[in-house]
Amino acid sequence: MEFNSKNGSSKLTVFQTWQKSGSCPKGTVPIRRIGREDILRAQSVQQFGRKPQEVVLKSNTTIEQKDGRFPSINSNALALPAIVNRSAAVLATAGANYTGAKADINVWNPNVESEDFTTAQVWLKAGPNDNFESIESGWAVNPQLYGDKKTRLFAHWTQDSYKTTGCFDLQCSGFIQTSSKIALGAAISPISMELGQQYYITIGIYMDENTNNWWLIFGNGITIGYWPASTLNVLKNSATMVEWGGQVYSPNVRKSPHTKTAMGSGKFASSLKGNACYMENIAIVDFSTQLQYPPEVTTLAEENYCYTALNHQDGSESSPTFYFGGPGQNYNCP
C-alpha cells in the first residue's frame, strides 16, 4: 500500500502485512479473513460488520453550533438531527448534484474504548436525513470489528441510514473489489507523530457516467473496486451532500461520563498541523466533470467541547485545510 509523507516532497512506500508473504495471483483479490472470534465480538450476527443504526435523540432535536445557530450553506440552514450514539466533526457541502469527491486524509492512531470506534473519512450521501443512502471510505480504529486497535483502511455503504442494509469492507455483498494490491480492512502504517512526520492517504470516490457505478480510488490512481448502481437507489443518479471529517460511535456520547474515545489525532482542531488531524486537497466533482474545491461549505461539530472542527486557510495552500478531532472526555466534556 502506498502512503505519502506530508513533510517535504518525499514519498514513502509501505507494504501491508499480508504482502510480506507474497502477492495475489492475477485475477484474484485480497480479502481479510473473518474468524469465529470476529463474529462473536459483534452484538448480534445481524449487526456484524455494520455501523450501528443512527438513533435520533428526539424527533425535534437538531444540531446547533456554539453560537446557537444552525450550520448553513448558501444561507440555507441545515436541520441535521442529533444522533444518540454518534458524534461527528465534519466539513459539509450540499445543494448540488455531486458525482465525485476526494481528500488527502492525515493518518493517526487515536485512543478507542472497546465498545466504540472512530473514523476519519469521506461520505457521499443522498436521500432524507432519516433514511439516507451513503457510500464512504477512509481510515478507522474499530476493535469490535477488527479485533485490535490498529488504524485500518475501510469502505462502507448503506441504503437506509444503517438500519438493515450495508456493511464495512467485504463483510456483505454490495461492494465489488477489483484490485489485487489493496486489502480493505488492512492495517495502515506508518502513523503520524505529534510534531513529527505526517502521513496521509488519498481517498477518491467517483461515479462512472456510463454505468452509474461508484468507483473507490486509493492513492495515486489505484482502483480498489466499485459499488454497483444496482446496490443503490437515489445515489445511482448522484449524491446531494458530501461530508469530510471524523466520527465517533459510542453508547457514551452525549452523556456523562463521556467516552474517552478520541477523534482524529485526539487533539482539538485549533492545534493545527503536527498536532491535529487534517484533510487537504478537498474536492468535489459535479456534472461539469471538473474536480474543484466546493463553492460553499460549512463546518459542524456535534459536541463542541469534546470534538471540534475548523476550516483554516494555511498561507502556502491554494485551498483551505480542514482540521477536526478531540480527546472525547476532558475537563469541559466530563
Side-chain angles (χ1 to χ4, degrees):
M1 181 180 289
E2 185 177 276
F3 291 84
N4 294 325
S5 164
K6 278 299 215 180
N7 277 2
S9 59
S10 62
K11 296 203 171 185
L12 306 180
T13 300
V14 177
F15 293 94
Q16 294 182 330
T17 303
W18 66 270
Q19 292 176 325
K20 293 180 180 179
S21 300
S23 60
C24 288
K26 186 177 180 179
T28 65
V29 299
I31 299 175
R32 181 180 173 274
R33 180 179 287 117
I34 299 171
R36 181 171 177 268
E37 64 279 7
D38 294 316
I39 298 173
L40 290 175
R41 281 194 305 272
Q43 295 177 353
S44 67
V45 174
Q46 292 76 18
Q47 189 60 40
F48 173 70
R50 294 174 44 216
K51 283 191 175 183
Q53 179 181 344
E54 293 193 343
V55 180
V56 177
L57 191 61
K58 293 179 183 178
S59 59
N60 62 345
T61 303
T62 50
I63 296 164
E64 296 179 354
Q65 295 173 322
K66 271 187 178 179
D67 57 8
R69 298 178 181 178
F70 294 118
S72 63
I73 297 175
N74 290 325
S75 299
N76 296 317
L78 295 178
L80 301 174
I83 308 300
V84 170
N85 55 357
R86 181 198 75 181
S87 190
V90 299
L91 180 77
T93 189
N97 297 107
Y98 308 103
T99 57
K102 71 171 286 287
D104 296 340
I105 308 175
N106 190 208
V107 177
W108 292 84
N109 182 242
N111 174 66
V112 175
E113 297 189 332
S114 59
E115 292 186 357
D116 304 351
F117 67 83
T118 188
T119 70
Q121 63 174 100
V122 180
W123 296 258
L124 287 101
K125 295 181 175 181
N129 285 331
D130 62 350
N131 202 45
F132 64 81
E133 289 186 9
S134 177
I135 49 178
E136 47 201 81
S137 183
W139 60 257
V141 180
N142 189 337
Q144 262 203 334
L145 177 62
Y146 298 119
D148 59 34
K149 295 188 178 183
K150 295 179 180 178
T151 303
R152 295 174 178 271
L153 176 70
F154 83 92
H156 197 286
W157 68 275
T158 180
Q159 282 183 340
D160 58 1
S161 304
Y162 316 113
K163 293 183 183 74
T164 61
T165 63
C167 63
F168 280 98
D169 307 334
L170 303 175
Q171 311 284 4
C172 66
S173 61
F175 182 85
I176 298 174
Q177 180 153 343
T178 59
S179 173
S180 60
K181 299 178 180 178
I182 302 296
L184 290 172
I188 292 174
S189 180
I191 302 298
S192 299
M193 300 292 293
E194 186 176 351
L195 298 178
Q197 195 79 39
Q198 300 298 297
Y199 298 92
Y200 73 101
I201 58 173
T202 300
I203 295 293
I205 303 174
Y206 305 100
M207 189 178 76
D208 183 328
E209 295 180 356
N210 296 317
T211 63
N212 290 64
N213 298 332
W214 287 89
W215 288 87
L216 176 58
I217 311 297
F218 179 86
N220 297 319
I222 300 175
T223 301
I224 298 178
Y226 64 96
W227 292 275
S230 58
T231 299
L232 307 166
N233 294 314
V234 288
L235 262 177
K236 70 175 59 174
N237 299 313
S238 68
T240 54
M241 176 178 279
V242 184
E243 296 177 1
W244 300 263
Q247 196 172 72
V248 168
Y249 276 84
S250 172
N252 297 310
V253 296
R254 306 185 193 281
K255 63 175 64 173
S256 182
H258 193 279
T259 180
K260 295 180 181 178
T261 291
M263 180 192 298
S265 68
K267 298 294 180 67
F268 289 117
S270 57
S271 301
L272 301 182
K273 282 187 181 174
N275 291 288
C277 188
Y278 62 87
M279 294 194 190
E280 290 183 324
N281 297 316
I282 288 169
I284 53 96
V285 180
D286 56 22
F287 285 120
S288 72
T289 70
Q290 299 299 311
L291 194 65
Q292 59 186 304
Y293 188 81
E296 297 287 342
V297 296
T298 189
T299 59
L300 166 67
E302 296 181 351
E303 293 183 292
N304 282 295
Y305 297 104
C306 311
Y307 314 105
T308 59
L310 174 66
N311 209 27
H312 180 73
Q313 181 72 57
D314 292 327
S316 61
E317 302 293 339
S318 58
S319 60
T321 297
F322 176 61
Y323 296 90
F324 61 97
Q329 185 182 121
N330 64 83
Y331 178 79
N332 294 312
C333 176

